Amino acid sequence: MAEITYKDAAHVCEDGETVLDALLRANADIPYSCKKGTCLSCMVQMTEGDVPQDAQKNIRPSLAQQGYFLACMCRPSGPLTIAQADDAVIYGRAIVTGIDKMTPDVCRVWLRPSTPLYYRAGQFVNIRRDDGIVRSYSLASVPRLDRELEIHVKRMPRGEMSNWFFDQVTPGDGLDLQGPNGDCFYVPGTPDQNLLLIGTGTGLAPLLGVVRDALDAGHTGNIHLYHGSREATGIYLADEVRALADTHDNFHFAPCVSGSAAAGPFRAGRADEAAFADHPDLKGWSVFICGYPAMVNAARKTAFMAGATLPNIHADPFDFRDLRHEARDEVEDKPDLW
Amino acid sequence: MTDTLYDRLGGEAAVEAAVDIFYRKVLSDPSISDFFDTTDMDEQRNKQKAFLTMAFGGPNEYIGKDLREAHAPLVEKGLNDSHFDAVAGHLDATLRELGVADELIGEVLAIAGGTRDDVLNR
């Protein structure tokens, strides 16, 4: 048991309990989302005491030195005094410069941050609306190639942020931006390594960033991208991606449709199954998997068993929950991805 | 010869070289794979690294009590000598695959074998 003080109020953190769970139990006001150390929404600052190393694992060194840590990953061993994170340290401002509704359910949005964001293609940012709602989006843009940040937004049933992007946002609107986060990005230095990329839904966004980054860096190994959706309407940007494949001999693109009968240019079946059927031996490969969490977790294991080492498997499950204190109602018709 | 077993095996680099091979062997063995949770593979990989570090005679924080506590839920699910032997077999095969000398393998297996009663909570 440890005593924690948050915003001048004292709380008790039970043995084995995280700071976040203790604060939520006490109805304290603290933002959070993934509860597993990925999204960084629950970052707070320690002003007195000690935090375990695990709680600072995914935090930039400059912030860690100032005592920033993740409440969801912190099981304190002694008393802790915690302050709300300094908002200006975490969020910057950005404006929407364009919106392209590519399909009825997927749009891409371009953003220009007020101060330059140093990121790698495939990382993700947290976007906060002026009423405080936060969501995570992966970056499809490549710093060397694109002036603006590009995200892909999938319209979610009753999704606060996604419907807002679709129905209300216009160029010139402002929002808050935090990032970059995550380690799903291309690592230069092994140009002849083969790359396998598997994504469902808007899991295409970070993968496309990784592919363009790798091609621009002069990657010579084979790059295989499998994009999956239940319906053919979920395959977006296929013409652009194909054009990229047409101009690069080492880049191969396979759009896959798993639901109704696959038509025309699409492979029938799931993207992960097609990828592993085509490439049963992944020894020495680098693998990127993004999208629906169940697919990501299963594909991760399959890639590992096929010979890829875990440090060479970069996975980004899109499993960020709602930031409100009460979980979003289970959506009955589960999207196959988001 | 004053080098420790851990040094002679190659230290942390040897653990890193062995961990994925070892973990893959364990997961592909249906008689034991259910004991190795795959929902958090990074966490599992860290556990395998801690185990290998200990078996290699390296610096580790494993004590008998921890081993007992960590494996108690698995013993309840039926973890027994046959499973322990299977894991030891995969450790042996991993080291052979990496070309480790027989005498060093013997030392590693002796350390690993010394944990049997703690792991099986006896």
Side-chain angles (χ1 to χ4, degrees), chain A residues 62-142:
Chain A
S62 58
L63 289 181
Q65 273 169 15
Q66 296 171 55
Y68 282 93
F69 69 96
L70 300 182
C72 74
M73 297 304 287
C74 181
R75 291 179 176 81
S77 50
L80 265 188
T81 304
I82 304 161
Q84 208 170 4
D86 177 1
D87 204 62
V89 167
I90 300 190
Y91 280 93
R93 203 66 187 157
I95 58 165
V96 174
T97 57
I99 299 175
D100 171 20
K101 291 175 188 167
M102 297 180 286
T103 77
D105 286 325
V106 182
C107 69
R108 51 178 166 174
V109 178
W110 288 277
L111 304 165
R112 185 185 302 144
S114 56
T115 53
L117 188 73
Y118 296 97
Y119 70 99
R120 289 167 180 268
Q123 287 189 292
F124 71 90
V125 293
N126 287 314
I127 286 177
R128 185 173 65 184
R129 209 164 65 175
D130 287 351
D131 64 359
I133 285 180
V134 182
R135 293 287 184 278
S136 303
Y137 291 99
S138 292
L139 294 166
S141 46
V142 179

Side-chain angles (χ1 to χ4, degrees), chain A:
Chain A
M1 197 184 88
E3 189 169 307
I4 52 179
T5 309
Y6 176 62
K7 294 204 283 192
D8 298 327
H11 305 281
V12 168
C13 191
E14 302 290 348
D15 284 339
E17 190 179 36
T18 66
V19 166
L20 178 62
D21 283 335
L23 292 177
L24 291 176
R25 195 163 44 75
N27 285 321
D29 180 28
I30 179 168
Y32 72 101
S33 182
C34 75
K35 291 185 91 171
K36 49 192 248 194
T38 309
C39 76
L40 312 189
S41 304
C42 67
M43 186 153 58
V44 287
Q45 190 176 22
M46 176 265 299
T47 53
E48 266 176 67
D50 274 311
V51 293
Q53 258 185 351
D54 276 358
Q56 295 190 307
K57 210 166 60 179
N58 292 337
I59 294 197
R60 266 206 306 277
S62 58
L63 289 181
Q65 273 169 15
Q66 296 171 55
Y68 282 93
F69 69 96
L70 300 182
C72 74
M73 297 304 287
C74 181
R75 291 179 176 81
S77 50
L80 265 188
T81 304
I82 304 161
Q84 208 170 4
D86 177 1
D87 204 62
V89 167
I90 300 190
Y91 280 93
R93 203 66 187 157
I95 58 165
V96 174
T97 57
I99 299 175
D100 171 20
K101 291 175 188 167
M102 297 180 286
T103 77
D105 286 325
V106 182
C107 69
R108 51 178 166 174
V109 178
W110 288 277
L111 304 165
R112 185 185 302 144
S114 56
T115 53
L117 188 73
Y118 296 97
Y119 70 99
R120 289 167 180 268
Q123 287 189 292
F124 71 90
V125 293
N126 287 314
I127 286 177
R128 185 173 65 184
R129 209 164 65 175
D130 287 351
D131 64 359
I133 285 180
V134 182
R135 293 287 184 278
S136 303
Y137 291 99
S138 292
L139 294 166
S141 46
V142 179
R144 283 188 311 277
L145 303 175
D146 304 305
R147 281 179 48 218
E148 278 149 358
L149 307 180
E150 177 184 329
I151 60 170
H152 297 175
V153 179
K154 158 115 180 164
R155 192 201 280 270
M156 301 292 289
R158 281 177 290 160
E160 288 273 4
M161 187 75 92
S162 59
N163 283 295
W164 178 67
F165 271 121
F166 262 91
D167 301 332
Q168 293 176 46
V169 173
T170 54
D173 286 354
L175 43 76
D176 292 329
L177 189 77
Q178 179 276 327
N181 314 304
D183 55 7
C184 187
F185 51 77
Y186 175 69
V187 182
T190 47
D192 53 357
Q193 189 176 37
N194 291 326
L195 311 182
L196 178 64
L197 305 98
I198 304 167
T200 52
T202 49
L204 177 67
L207 300 185
L208 204 46
V210 169
V211 167
R212 294 172 62 227
D213 197 10
L215 290 174
D216 185 65
H219 197 83
T220 54
N222 280 311
I223 304 173
H224 296 271
L225 171 63
Y226 292 78
H227 182 211
S229 177
R230 196 189 293 157
E231 306 297 333
T233 50
I235 302 289
Y236 62 93
L237 283 180
D239 290 343
E240 285 85 343
V241 182
R242 258 193 219 101
L244 209 54
D246 287 343
T247 48
H248 296 84
D249 288 344
N250 62 332
F251 174 47
H252 314 276
F253 174 50
C256 307
V257 172
S258 61
S260 51
F266 303 128
R267 282 262 293 259
R270 289 171 38 170
D272 52 336
E273 287 168 358
F276 294 126
D278 290 354
H279 309 287
D281 182 3
L282 298 175
K283 200 171 177 195
W285 288 54
S286 210
V287 183
F288 298 80
I289 311 163
C290 299
Y292 185 51
M295 182 284 290
V296 169
N297 290 332
R300 202 157 185 248
K301 183 182 171 190
T302 309
F304 178 68
M305 299 309 284
T309 63
L310 275 186
N312 271 309
I313 303 174
H314 311 272
D316 199 351
F318 287 12
D319 61 354
F320 306 114
R321 284 189 281 269
D322 202 305
L323 285 175
R324 289 170 300 192
H325 287 268
E326 287 168 26
R328 180 206 300 267
D329 295 338
E330 272 299 311
V331 179
E332 279 177 20
D333 177 23
K334 252 199 168 136
D336 59 344
L337 33 93
W338 49 308

Side-chain angles (χ1 to χ4, degrees), chain A residues 57 283 297 300-301 303-311, chain B residues 16 19-20 23-24 27-28 38-42 45-46:
Chain A
K57 210 166 60 179
K283 200 171 177 195
N297 290 332
R300 202 157 185 248
K301 183 182 171 190
F304 178 68
M305 299 309 284
T309 63
L310 275 186
Chain B
E16 193 59 43
V19 64
D20 279 328
Y23 186 23
R24 201 173 286 122
L27 284 184
S28 31
T38 58
T39 50
D40 191 338
M41 294 184 73
D42 290 326
R45 186 176 193 271
N46 285 339

